[in-house]
Amino acid sequence: MNNIDDTIDPTETEGLNSTAGEPLPAGVTPATEDEIVEKLKECFDPEIPVNIYDLGLIYDLKIHETGDVDVVMTLTAPACPVAGSMPPMVSQAVSDLPNTGKVSVTLTWDPPWSMDLMSEDARLALGF
């Protein structure tokens, strides 16, 4: 990544959590995993022209019967300047999807991201 701010301490962002949305009313069928993945594919790191899902930044995705969604994600580097803004962007994007309840996005640095996590599409888009 370019423009890395070396003053960002990764221990200050490990476990950073962002929530958005409201609980679904009883009886509403929650959004599917495919629908949520498609929404995640609309989210981009501003410095990388590949979506966060294909970059391999999404480590875990859980959809509860209530429609609540838990996402565990990382970024390409602990000193990434979007560490504070990316989780709220992702939680808001997923919560904008119909039939999602409360969306919780947690940032982690363990395990560290590597290019091995990228999809084939991401590798082609970035010329790897």
Side-chain angles (χ1 to χ4, degrees):
M1 298 183 84
N2 297 329
N3 302 323
I4 292 177
D5 181 354
D6 291 329
T7 63
I8 296 173
D9 182 355
T11 61
E12 293 178 9
T13 54
E14 173 68 34
L16 178 74
N17 184 269
S18 175
T19 59
E22 299 292 329
L24 284 178
V28 173
T29 302
T32 66
E33 182 173 350
D34 288 342
E35 291 170 323
I36 293 170
V37 166
E38 286 306 310
K39 195 58 146 170
L40 291 169
K41 287 183 175 183
E42 295 175 8
C43 298
F44 289 79
D45 180 314
E47 296 181 340
I48 304 172
V50 174
N51 70 72
I52 63 171
Y53 191 83
D54 286 332
L55 273 175
L57 300 181
I58 304 301
Y59 283 177
D60 193 28
L61 172 62
K62 289 186 180 150
I63 305 161
H64 302 273
E65 290 179 10
T66 61
D68 291 350
V69 179
D70 295 326
V71 177
V72 176
M73 69 175 295
T74 194
L75 297 172
T76 56
C80 184
V82 297
S85 61
M86 186 64 74
M89 181 184 81
V90 173
S91 64
Q92 187 60 56
V94 174
S95 74
D96 287 345
L97 183 66
N99 295 351
T100 57
K102 183 179 170 191
V103 178
S104 175
V105 176
T106 303
L107 187 61
T108 188
W109 304 114
D110 186 32
W113 178 84
S114 74
M115 290 193 302
D116 295 338
L117 298 171
M118 292 191 301
S119 71
E120 186 175 327
D121 289 342
R123 290 172 195 268
L124 290 171
L126 295 174
F128 295 122

